[in-house]
Amino acid sequence: MRPATVLLIVLGACALASAEQKADAIFLKRQLQVLNLLRHLNQPLIDPELLVFKNSFSPLNNLNKFKDPTAVKNFLKLVTEGKLLERDAIFSLFDARQRAQMVTLFEVLYGATDYDTFLKAAAWARDRTNPRQFLYAFSVALLHREDCRGVILPPAYEITPHMFLTTDVVRKAYQAKMMRTPTVIPMKFTGSVNNPEQRVAYFGEDIGMNSHHSHWHMDFPFWWKQEYTVDKDRKGELFFYMHHQMVARFDAERLSNDLPAVEPLEWDQQITEGFAPAATYENGQEFPMRPDNMKFCDLPSLSVRDMKIVEGRIRDAIASSFVKTADSRLLSINNTAGINLLGEIIESSANSVNPVYYGQLHNDGHVMLSKVTDPLQRYGVPPGVMEHFETATRDPAFFRLHKHVDNLFKLHKDLLLPYDVSELDFPGVKIEAVKVVGSCKASTPNQLITYFDESHIDLNNIVENVGQEQPVDIKAVVSRLNHEPFKYVITVNSKKPVRGIVRIFLAPKLNWFGQRVPLDVARWGFIELDRFPVRLASGDNIVSRNSVDSIITVPEPRSFSNLVSDVEKAIRGEQVFSYDKYYRHCGFPRRLLLPKGKPEGMVYQLYVVVTDYDKDIVEPGIQPEDVENLSSLGYCGVMGGKIPDGRPMGFPFDRRIVSPEQFLTPNMEVVDITIKNVKQKPAE
């Protein structure tokens, strides 16, 4: 007798919706206070309530309301002695002195014992601190406080627009403000048709991806101390995997535009590609341009030789499968957890087992690139784009640096034993068929459509607000990659009722030369599209999953002005404002889930794997519904908890594949799909 077919709709969106709740008066008040605090950061506070806090609150008289009174005293000393970074200076997180000041302020805000004290301390500190230094400390504190769960920060590119926009857009915005003329200003990508790298500028300069990269480093700061109590589960591995996936995506975009895969930087070779950011800091200084074919130079406190020595020690650790701790112990990295230790060393984070010996290869690489045009500060050139997480991905050298770092991780992964069949197979489970179906009318099975559309950026924060005058509606419009929504339809046969995890990856079928890529080579460029739990009944199951539910991506954020309007209307009782306590600012933009493809269509291979949920999950009590409530889990992990999937990130394609025939077990399936880029959004 044929087993009954069971239709399983994996309701990711519905599960996430269940985490939303109606905001009460307390939440609405807090949300509006945060928005008002972040308006016009370069101007003094004008909100009446916050002004009262700024002028009346005394941290010194409220030491009992802070977990760390010493941090409060230290910050007050910096303020009273005039040692804080000047308000019109350029804040760099990679500058040790400036970072130490920021961390002190963070410890004050994070250590406030209740929300009211947190807000009053923030209002008191705001106008006494460098704006971007304050913004970073405040944002990290808010993201990690329990009493701020669900509070939404405005889009990063609308809080500090100068860090995301080109100089010509800023100039036109000021002109529109002076003329009090509502304006929409088009913004172009940097470079020209004479530079091949300009073909992929839409990816590196995408404001959503810039924002994701910035927020990832707020959720997982390299300076985070263990005594802050919020657990950063597998932070080193997340550092590896998130940046690894960014490089894989960049390579896929390059292939979509007839460019070869990005080459890694080398410390003793020329940086072939120059970069002209065409952007200006808020204080009027221009981001420096880097000409073609520059070489790394020694900095006053860091030499090229230092970089080679540190990298040599990391390579020795990988080759020997052991890292040396600060107290001379040896820790094995020849295991699943080794990648986490290695990630913490290479970044380097405060969790590095030996930061003096292994240095901070990644962080110093950013600084070396940032200062390459004026290494001795002979001309007082300001920091380059590589010295800020908001701007770093705009420079093609970002991906070259991370390809270099990624190759170190690959050396480690290639030394681990390949997975054997018992680790790959899911006995009794077989994938019978896989297809993808687009939502537009003209869609054909296994063909997906990408296109470019426009996004508007609210520029009200870019120009000063004088007195009580009404703001002028000024927006920038940028072109951005998008794709039609689609769904996966996967037919799975199971011998018995089981729980599984579906893992979906994408990779170009052909390389730049038009050659078929062997699986063991292709696997390192696999792009993870989704990973989700599923309940399988006995017999045939049809699993359907919408692309909008991907654990890799987040939806477009609400604009600053829309957030303010929605909250104010909810306070007046005119509408409901819902919030999600699991809301994450970190996550790849939903519209960037797919690479661009080509106008004539570009063939990719979709790999689908179903693994055993009960073997993969880290704690037996975690239910599939709990996993579904965790947004942007793929690149951004879990805030203050364990990542539920115990498998290595990228499993099962993170290790060498000796024999594709033995590797591809019945619980895996591969299908060809085509991604076609069209000139305009298709009709739905």
Side-chain angles (χ1 to χ4, degrees):
M1 181 177 176
R2 185 183 176 189
T5 299
V6 179
L7 178 63
L8 289 181
I9 305 296
V10 183
L11 297 175
C14 293
L16 284 170
S18 67
E20 288 195 351
Q21 51 192 294
K22 179 183 176 182
D24 58 17
I26 294 174
F27 181 90
L28 290 171
K29 182 181 179 182
R30 291 180 179 182
Q31 178 67 74
L32 188 60
Q33 288 170 331
V34 168
L35 294 172
N36 287 334
L37 190 72
L38 297 179
R39 288 190 206 234
H40 299 287
L41 274 177
N42 286 276
Q43 287 184 255
L45 276 170
I46 58 173
D47 180 76
E49 180 189 29
L50 297 177
L51 266 175
V52 171
F53 296 155
K54 170 190 170 181
N55 296 325
S56 64
F57 182 72
S58 169
L60 199 59
N61 293 338
N62 290 275
L63 290 178
N64 62 321
K65 295 183 179 179
F66 294 92
K67 296 176 184 176
D68 187 356
T70 303
V72 179
K73 293 176 182 177
N74 289 341
F75 187 73
L76 281 167
K77 186 178 180 182
L78 289 170
V79 173
T80 55
E81 294 182 359
K83 292 183 177 179
L84 279 175
L85 182 68
E86 297 84 355
R87 278 187 59 81
D88 65 348
I90 298 168
F91 169 63
S92 171
L93 191 61
F94 293 108
D95 183 291
R97 182 181 70 86
Q98 296 176 22
R99 182 173 66 251
Q101 294 176 1
M102 181 281 302
V103 170
T104 304
L105 175 57
F106 162 78
E107 290 175 347
V108 172
L109 299 176
Y110 180 64
T113 56
D114 56 70
Y115 173 82
D116 287 344
T117 305
F118 163 69
L119 181 72
K120 290 174 181 178
W124 177 87
R126 180 191 186 273
D127 294 347
R128 293 173 167 88
T129 314
N130 177 278
R132 286 188 55 254
Q133 196 176 33
F134 168 82
L135 174 63
Y136 185 86
F138 174 80
S139 299
V140 177
L142 180 141
L143 291 169
H144 289 85
R145 288 184 61 92
E146 275 296 322
D147 52 16
C148 293
R149 283 290 175 92
V151 173
I152 302 171
L153 290 169
Y157 45 82
E158 292 185 352
I159 303 176
T160 54
H162 284 79
M163 301 297 287
F164 297 86
L165 305 177
T166 52
T167 304
D168 63 314
V169 173
V170 174
R171 185 184 69 252
K172 290 174 182 176
Y174 274 100
Q175 290 172 348
K177 172 68 173 181
M178 287 188 291
M179 300 296 292
R180 299 199 57 76
T181 306
T183 308
V184 177
I185 307 166
M187 185 172 83
K188 297 179 180 178
F189 299 116
T190 60
S192 72
V193 293
N194 298 323
N195 179 10
E197 294 298 320
Q198 203 267 347
R199 296 183 213 167
V200 288
Y202 67 85
F203 182 72
E205 297 178 25
D206 186 277
I207 56 172
M209 192 183 71
N210 300 156
S211 189
H212 154 69
H213 185 241
S214 174
H215 273 294
W216 191 94
H217 285 280
M218 289 181 184
D219 282 1
F220 300 95
F222 63 84
W223 47 267
W224 190 262
K225 302 173 186 176
Q226 290 183 343
E227 61 254 36
Y228 293 154
T229 68
V230 175
D231 185 29
K232 298 292 177 185
D233 186 39
R234 296 164 70 177
K235 177 176 176 291
E237 186 178 9
L238 275 169
F239 168 78
F240 146 68
Y241 193 63
M242 192 278 288
H243 290 93
H244 166 72
Q245 286 288 294
M246 288 181 74
V247 172
R249 267 305 305 275
F250 187 60
D251 278 345
E253 297 301 336
R254 293 177 69 85
L255 285 176
S256 296
N257 291 278
D258 299 313
L259 293 172
V262 67
E263 292 290 329
L265 283 175
E266 300 296 340
W267 307 121
D268 54 2
Q269 294 181 11
Q270 289 182 336
I271 308 164
T272 309
E273 304 86 3
F275 180 60
T280 307
Y281 285 103
E282 183 108 23
N283 67 2
Q285 289 184 281
E286 293 183 358
F287 281 88
M289 170 201 171
R290 184 185 66 249
D292 291 344
N293 299 316
M294 292 207 71
K295 283 192 172 184
F296 286 106
C297 299
D298 294 346
L299 306 181
S301 59
L302 179 67
S303 70
V304 176
R305 183 171 177 270
D306 293 336
M307 301 295 286
K308 291 180 178 178
I309 289 172
V310 164
E311 183 174 324
R313 291 170 180 168
I314 293 170
R315 288 181 179 274
D316 288 344
I318 292 170
S320 65
S321 297
F322 285 95
V323 294
K324 185 188 298 183
T325 66
D327 57 0
S328 298
R329 291 180 295 116
L330 294 178
L331 297 179
S332 173
I333 57 173
N334 187 28
N335 49 50
T336 298
I339 189 70
N340 190 60
L341 281 173
L342 199 58
E344 290 172 342
I345 285 171
I346 290 175
E347 187 179 14
S348 121
S349 78
N351 290 339
S352 171
V353 296
N354 201 339
V356 174
Y357 184 71
Y358 291 114
Q360 45 186 23
L361 186 73
H362 162 263
N363 292 353
D364 285 345
H366 271 262
V367 175
M368 293 283 278
L369 277 167
S370 166
K371 300 187 183 303
V372 72
T373 56
D374 187 17
L376 300 179
Q377 281 293 288
R378 202 172 279 173
Y379 307 103
V381 173
V385 294
M386 287 295 291
E387 209 159 329
H388 311 291
F389 291 127
E390 308 99 304
T391 57
T393 64
R394 296 169 66 174
D395 189 342
F398 170 88
F399 295 98
R400 292 197 62 194
L401 171 66
H402 277 279
K403 176 63 79 74
H404 181 95
V405 170
D406 200 51
N407 285 346
L408 294 176
F409 289 119
K410 187 175 187 298
L411 280 177
H412 162 68
K413 286 284 190 175
D414 285 353
L415 288 174
L416 299 177
L417 288 174
Y419 296 114
D420 59 37
V421 173
S422 65
E423 295 174 285
L424 300 170
D425 195 17
F426 190 178
V429 172
K430 181 182 180 182
I431 299 179
E432 302 283 2
V434 173
K435 67 177 179 180
V436 292
V437 181
S439 63
C440 72
K441 294 178 181 178
S443 289
T444 57
N446 292 344
Q447 177 177 284
L448 299 176
I449 302 297
T450 66
Y451 55 92
F452 285 90
D453 64 8
E454 293 182 341
S455 173
H456 289 79
I457 305 171
D458 185 344
L459 298 187
N460 188 44
N461 253 10
I462 207 170
V463 290
E464 293 187 359
N465 190 30
V466 181
Q468 300 300 316
E469 66 179 28
Q470 287 296 312
V472 181
D473 186 19
I474 306 172
K475 291 182 170 62
V477 59
V478 296
S479 179
R480 60 183 193 173
L481 181 64
N482 208 334
H483 64 84
E484 63 161 337
F486 62 94
K487 65 180 179 180
Y488 311 96
V489 181
I490 307 163
T491 305
V492 186
N493 182 273
S494 180
K495 300 296 184 185
K496 60 181 180 180
V498 292
R499 300 189 296 182
I501 295 180
V502 180
R503 305 167 188 272
I504 304 176
F505 297 85
L506 183 75
K509 187 172 183 177
L510 305 177
N511 63 17
W512 187 56
F513 298 101
Q515 301 166 329
R516 182 77 178 268
V517 186
L519 182 56
D520 188 47
V521 176
R523 66 176 177 85
W524 199 249
F526 276 24
I527 301 162
E528 186 171 15
L529 297 183
D530 207 352
R531 187 189 335 150
F532 57 92
V534 64
R535 298 178 187 272
L536 299 174
S538 179
D540 288 339
N541 300 262
I542 298 176
V543 178
S544 181
R545 172 80 164 184
N546 291 320
S547 60
V548 296
D549 296 325
S550 171
I551 66 158
I552 303 300
T553 62
V554 292
E556 289 295 303
R558 276 184 277 193
S559 71
F560 204 133
S561 57
N562 285 346
L563 267 173
V564 172
S565 175
D566 289 347
V567 173
E568 289 179 340
K569 287 178 180 177
I571 290 173
R572 296 194 297 266
E574 297 172 8
Q575 67 180 42
V576 171
F577 186 92
S578 298
Y579 74 98
D580 178 3
K581 68 176 182 179
Y582 296 106
Y583 180 82
R584 299 289 298 278
H585 299 77
C586 174
F588 226 57
R590 181 177 288 168
R591 56 188 170 71
L592 282 184
L593 182 63
L594 295 179
K596 180 173 81 74
K598 295 183 176 182
E600 67 274 20
M602 182 172 172
V603 180
Y604 287 79
Q605 291 195 303
L606 191 75
Y607 287 76
V608 180
V609 184
V610 182
T611 59
D612 189 338
Y613 177 94
D614 294 300
K615 285 185 178 179
D616 296 350
I617 214 71
V618 291
E619 294 176 359
I622 300 177
Q623 299 300 313
E625 295 76 17
D626 300 328
V627 179
E628 281 289 300
N629 276 333
L630 300 172
S631 64
S632 60
L633 180 63
Y635 294 170
C636 301
V638 178
M639 290 285 278
K642 292 287 185 184
I643 295 174
D645 182 8
R647 293 286 195 177
M649 295 174 195
F651 177 86
F653 302 103
D654 61 311
R655 297 191 188 181
R656 288 182 294 119
I657 298 172
V658 178
S659 168
E661 293 75 19
Q662 294 181 359
F663 178 85
L664 295 171
T665 48
N667 56 313
M668 304 184 194
E669 185 61 36
V670 188
V671 295
D672 286 358
I673 67 167
T674 300
I675 299 181
K676 187 176 182 179
N677 181 250
V678 298
K679 290 186 178 180
Q680 60 184 15
K681 181 180 179 180
E684 295 183 0

